[in-house]
Amino acid sequence: MVPTIKDVAKHAGVGIGTVSRVINNQKAVGEKTRAKVLGAMKELNYSPNNMASQLRKNETKILALLVPIINHPFFARLAYFVEDEADKFGYTMLLVSSQQRVEKEEEIISRIKRREVDGAVFVTHFMHEEEELKNCPIVSIDRDFGGKTPYVTSDNYEATKKALKYMIERGAKKVGFLGSKPIVESEVMLREKAYLEVMEEYHMPVRMVNQVMQHGEEMAIVADFIEKYPDVDGVFVSGYTLSQVFHDNMIELEKNIPEDLQIISYDGMFKQWSTNNMTCVEQPIEEMARQAVRLLVKKIHNEETGVRTVLKTKLVLGSTTR
Amino acid sequence: MVPTIKDVAKHAGVGIGTVSRVINNQKAVGEKTRAKVLGAMKELNYSPNNMASQLRKNETKILALLVPIINHPFFARLAYFVEDEADKFGYTMLLVSSQQRVEKEEEIISRIKRREVDGAVFVTHFMHEEEELKNCPIVSIDRDFGGKTPYVTSDNYEATKKALKYMIERGAKKVGFLGSKPIVESEVMLREKAYLEVMEEYHMPVRMVNQVMQHGEEMAIVADFIEKYPDVDGVFVSGYTLSQVFHDNMIELEKNIPEDLQIISYDGMFKQWSTNNMTCVEQPIEEMARQAVRLLVKKIHNEETGVRTVLKTKLVLGSTTR
DNA sequence: CTGAAAGCGCTTACAG
DNA sequence: CTGAAAGCGCTTACAG
């Protein structure tokens, strides 16, 4: 039914090797021969079967992106740019939402082993046997897997310090930290570290809720924070959805923002169209995505890469700080 | 380096056919033999090479999802559920953001032809040669491709009528329609049709801006609408981002909502955490995604499917109607 | 229940 | 510049 390279070869009166060379645009083909083959391909409406060439070449030209949940602004944006950058290198993107399930993450690793994908970008929450990852082309975001696996992150530590000091300079006296703790060691934890250090430096008591949280449990965490620290006048919120929930709650409680309460979030609200924006630490998501893909492509080709890539964030001023 | 089925066969002292049968869990294998093979697989740390079996079986177990842009709440949600449902059938999801570029959409079709994916779900804006799609396992969302290609949609027409009448019953006298028109014939256009009919029924003049729009041009369209119809007291907004932009603009203009202006959007804001929600027609995104995948799987297996599947929306009351 | 063999549709040295 | 042939790692009738 579907024409194969053999049909094309017969139709054009050449060998299949020659057809293959035409398909792959190799130069060692005479002009006339090439024309004949091209003609036959058109006539038969031929498309090369990729599975076959993949098997021979041992590559799929597919990258996997593993995110905790695609239905989340941060990860959706990340996916957008990963796909765009991958495309530039001729790769397509297989998207896997782990839904916080460890099996899904392991599945990706076995996919790489089975040659279903050439490599993967991990934004992950679970532990993996270092051994498993040793030989896999993987790049991680915000997380150091401990070996030579390259990872891309933003300057969590410096950015958090800067944000906190910004609020304090503008009068915040009771400064809180609201976040969701990653399950595994991750660069994100540097935000907590930065907070604790700043509190110590300014001799302020710690007002922190920073727990492991599932997507969807934002309200409970926020309620917990509000109950414990009703009198804060400056809050650093780590994470996009959490900051939205917290902000909405404060509005409902009719807090005067920023007069009585300043808020800065890590990962802002990307409302390009509104003037009513939150002050936030904006991560260079696009650049993180592109860097990750570039590193991955290098790894796939066994080229050298650095291990840690740190990209600069930006403190974007909005209406939630004085 | 990487062990193949041959290595396993040798190690276990059996034929490769037998190993294959064990891998594929076929019953025609003796208990002892199976154990031997399993043991050998473990010892060699063997993973079957999927490219090879795909070539033989002529299937990839990959579905493509083509969306205009992944970095958008509606499509991100859709992707989430498509992936989840596909997983149930043993498929993974290749995600392609067309970025409104027609080449990207054509690429998917050629991918199907090249056997890189088994089928695709299209949420698309461009025309395609019907001929091209005839033999491809494709399911579309919100769009009738004109042939036997199945598609899933929501009850755009009825839902829009219901929403408009709801506002009118609650006192709206000057009712507008703000939307972005799809480039091609699509079920989404029934929203405009419903609006025009309701206006006629109530003898109200038409106040409509409904243009073809790129993602990112929301502000201009909204500004246009506001300039043309500054005195509306009820607006139906078609589309998630557009409704957000419009709502934010109205807040800035210090309109009293819902006293002086009611708003209903098609595709609401999915803020589960806030009480300050927009009244909206909520599409059954999850069900649309799952249905689309189920239909696609049927098509791949050459089973019969209906052409048009219409799912019910829900009018979710929020604080933007009286 | 099991093995030997053909073949999926390509690519790539190897000759010429 | 070009063809014939081997082989990528599997699956699946076909015998036995």
Side-chain angles (χ1 to χ4, degrees):
Chain A
M1 267 242 19
V2 182
T4 74
I5 197 169
K6 246 187 221 162
D7 302 316
V8 176
K10 196 178 297 174
H11 200 87
V14 300
I16 59 169
T18 305
V19 177
S20 175
R21 281 172 207 119
V22 172
I23 292 168
N24 294 290
N25 250 317
Q26 293 176 357
K27 39 185 56 183
V29 180
E31 239 358 280
K32 279 190 240 165
T33 319
R34 179 185 303 275
K36 263 196 304 187
V37 172
L38 254 21
M41 282 170 51
K42 194 139 290 172
E43 262 182 71
L44 297 176
N45 192 21
Y46 167 77
S47 297
N49 178 320
N50 239 281
M51 288 191 279
S53 69
Q54 281 169 10
L55 175 59
R56 275 304 318 235
K57 297 203 230 170
N58 205 25
E59 63 171 24
T60 61
K61 287 299 201 177
I62 297 176
L63 303 182
L65 172 64
L66 179 68
V67 296
I69 179 164
I70 184 56
N71 179 25
H72 180 290
F74 181 80
F75 300 118
R77 240 175 112 79
L78 192 71
Y80 173 100
F81 291 115
V82 165
E83 202 245 11
D84 193 66
E85 188 70 17
D87 188 58
K88 291 187 189 167
F89 291 94
Y91 288 88
T92 47
M93 179 182 77
L94 195 73
L95 181 68
V96 180
S97 273
S98 75
Q99 312 306 121
Q100 324 258 27
R101 282 189 285 131
V102 70
E103 321 91 70
K104 279 251 190 178
E105 305 197 355
E106 278 161 0
E107 202 183 302
I108 289 284
I109 296 178
S110 83
R111 277 218 145 72
I112 298 177
K113 289 195 179 157
R114 290 176 199 178
R115 300 295 142 80
E116 290 182 56
V117 303
D118 291 345
V121 175
F122 269 58
V123 192
T124 179
H125 290 330
F126 294 105
M127 294 305 294
H128 293 286
E129 296 298 316
E130 168 58 23
E131 207 49 47
E132 292 234 68
L133 301 177
K134 272 263 171 53
N135 302 308
C136 292
I138 286 177
V139 170
S140 140
I141 291 194
D142 273 343
R143 163 119 187 260
D144 181 2
F145 276 104
K148 313 144 300 167
T149 304
Y151 64 101
V152 178
T153 186
S154 60
D155 56 354
N156 291 275
Y157 181 77
E158 291 81 1
T160 304
K161 279 209 161 176
K162 187 172 163 191
L164 288 164
K165 291 185 177 178
Y166 186 88
M167 283 195 286
I168 293 169
E169 280 164 17
R170 276 155 191 76
K173 305 270 185 237
K174 300 170 180 171
V175 178
F177 182 101
L178 173 59
S180 68
K181 198 196 279 286
I183 300 175
V184 291
E185 195 64 42
S186 144
E187 295 271 328
V188 170
M189 289 181 176
L190 294 174
R191 300 179 196 167
E192 174 178 329
K193 179 162 183 262
Y195 169 74
L196 295 175
E197 288 184 19
V198 170
M199 289 306 99
E200 180 147 355
E201 184 181 338
Y202 286 84
H203 307 293
M204 293 177 166
V206 168
R207 297 175 170 88
M208 179 166 75
V209 168
N210 193 26
Q211 309 175 359
V212 171
M213 174 191 92
Q214 296 276 329
H215 197 63
E217 297 177 349
E218 288 86 355
M219 291 194 68
I221 305 262
V222 167
D224 184 32
F225 181 82
I226 294 174
E227 196 191 321
K228 281 187 181 143
Y229 311 112
D231 61 339
V232 287
D233 62 3
V235 179
F236 181 89
V237 187
S238 169
Y240 176 86
T241 48
L242 211 50
S243 71
Q244 291 245 28
V245 175
F246 181 69
H247 183 259
D248 282 6
N249 267 276
M250 291 300 106
I251 296 288
E252 268 173 54
L253 292 177
E254 301 189 332
K255 286 270 186 186
N256 283 322
I257 300 173
E259 290 72 21
D260 301 336
L261 173 64
Q262 300 184 72
I263 305 176
I264 298 183
S265 78
Y266 207 102
D267 276 351
M269 324 209 285
F270 310 105
K271 289 213 249 169
Q272 303 127 330
W273 52 75
S274 171
T275 56
N276 180 32
N277 267 322
M278 215 183 273
T279 298
C280 60
V281 177
E282 192 180 279
Q283 294 195 75
I285 300 187
E286 172 169 357
E287 216 27 51
M288 289 168 81
R290 297 197 190 281
Q291 281 285 359
V293 171
R294 283 185 215 127
L295 287 169
L296 184 54
V297 171
K298 279 192 184 171
K299 266 219 111 180
I300 290 171
H301 299 320
N302 284 315
E303 292 169 30
E304 272 311 303
T305 64
V307 168
R308 186 167 187 256
T309 304
V310 182
L311 298 173
K312 276 227 175 310
T313 56
K314 215 165 64 185
L315 183 62
V316 179
L317 301 183
S319 57
T320 58
T321 45
R322 295 192 215 162
Chain B
M1 267 243 20
V2 182
T4 73
I5 197 171
K6 245 187 223 161
D7 302 317
V8 176
K10 195 177 297 172
H11 202 85
V14 300
I16 60 169
T18 303
V19 177
S20 175
R21 281 173 208 119
V22 172
I23 293 167
N24 294 288
N25 249 317
Q26 294 176 358
K27 40 184 56 180
V29 179
E31 239 356 281
K32 279 191 236 161
T33 320
R34 179 184 304 275
K36 264 196 305 189
V37 172
L38 254 20
M41 282 169 50
K42 193 138 291 173
E43 261 183 70
L44 297 175
N45 192 22
Y46 167 76
S47 298
N49 178 321
N50 239 281
M51 288 190 281
S53 69
Q54 281 169 10
L55 176 58
R56 275 303 317 235
K57 298 204 226 168
N58 205 26
E59 63 170 26
T60 60
K61 287 300 203 177
I62 297 176
L63 303 183
L65 172 65
L66 179 67
V67 295
I69 179 164
I70 184 57
N71 178 25
H72 181 290
F74 180 81
F75 301 118
R77 240 175 110 79
L78 192 72
Y80 173 100
F81 291 115
V82 165
E83 202 244 9
D84 192 66
E85 187 70 17
D87 189 57
K88 291 187 189 166
F89 291 94
Y91 287 88
T92 46
M93 179 182 76
L94 195 72
L95 181 68
V96 181
S97 275
S98 75
Q99 314 305 121
Q100 324 260 25
R101 282 189 286 132
V102 68
E103 321 90 68
K104 280 253 192 176
E105 306 198 355
E106 279 161 358
E107 203 183 301
I108 290 285
I109 296 179
S110 84
R111 278 218 144 74
I112 297 177
K113 290 195 177 157
R114 289 177 200 177
R115 304 292 143 80
E116 291 182 55
V117 302
D118 291 345
V121 175
F122 270 58
V123 192
T124 177
H125 290 330
F126 293 106
M127 293 304 294
H128 294 286
E129 296 299 317
E130 168 57 24
E131 207 49 48
E132 292 233 69
L133 302 177
K134 274 259 171 55
N135 304 309
C136 292
I138 286 178
V139 170
S140 142
I141 290 194
D142 273 344
R143 162 117 187 263
D144 181 3
F145 276 106
K148 312 145 300 166
T149 305
Y151 64 101
V152 178
T153 186
S154 59
D155 56 356
N156 292 273
Y157 181 77
E158 291 80 3
T160 305
K161 278 208 161 176
K162 186 172 164 192
L164 288 165
K165 290 184 178 179
Y166 187 88
M167 282 195 286
I168 292 170
E169 279 164 16
R170 275 154 191 75
K173 305 271 185 236
K174 300 171 181 171
V175 178
F177 181 102
L178 174 59
S180 67
K181 198 197 278 288
I183 300 175
V184 292
E185 196 64 42
S186 142
E187 295 271 328
V188 170
M189 289 180 177
L190 293 174
R191 300 179 195 169
E192 174 178 329
K193 180 162 181 261
Y195 169 73
L196 294 175
E197 287 184 18
V198 170
M199 290 304 99
E200 182 147 351
E201 183 181 339
Y202 286 83
H203 308 293
M204 292 177 165
V206 168
R207 297 175 169 90
M208 179 167 75
V209 168
N210 193 25
Q211 308 175 359
V212 172
M213 175 193 92
Q214 296 276 331
H215 197 66
E217 297 176 350
E218 288 87 355
M219 291 194 69
I221 306 262
V222 167
D224 185 31
F225 181 83
I226 295 173
E227 197 190 321
K228 280 189 182 143
Y229 312 112
D231 61 341
V232 286
D233 61 3
V235 180
F236 181 90
V237 188
S238 168
Y240 176 87
T241 49
L242 211 49
S243 70
Q244 292 244 29
V245 176
F246 181 69
H247 183 259
D248 283 5
N249 267 275
M250 290 300 105
I251 296 287
E252 270 173 53
L253 292 177
E254 302 189 333
K255 285 269 186 187
N256 285 322
I257 299 173
E259 290 74 20
D260 302 337
L261 173 65
Q262 299 183 71
I263 305 176
I264 297 184
S265 77
Y266 207 101
D267 276 352
M269 324 209 285
F270 311 103
K271 289 213 248 167
Q272 303 127 328
W273 53 75
S274 173
T275 54
N276 180 32
N277 266 323
M278 216 184 274
T279 298
C280 61
V281 176
E282 193 181 277
Q283 295 195 76
I285 301 187
E286 173 169 357
E287 217 25 52
M288 289 168 80
R290 298 198 190 279
Q291 281 285 0
V293 171
R294 283 183 216 129
L295 288 168
L296 184 54
V297 171
K298 280 191 183 172
K299 268 219 108 180
I300 290 171
H301 298 322
N302 285 314
E303 294 170 28
E304 272 311 304
T305 64
V307 168
R308 186 165 186 257
T309 304
V310 182
L311 298 172
K312 277 227 175 310
T313 56
K314 214 166 64 185
L315 183 62
V316 180
L317 301 182
S319 57
T320 59
T321 44
R322 294 191 218 162

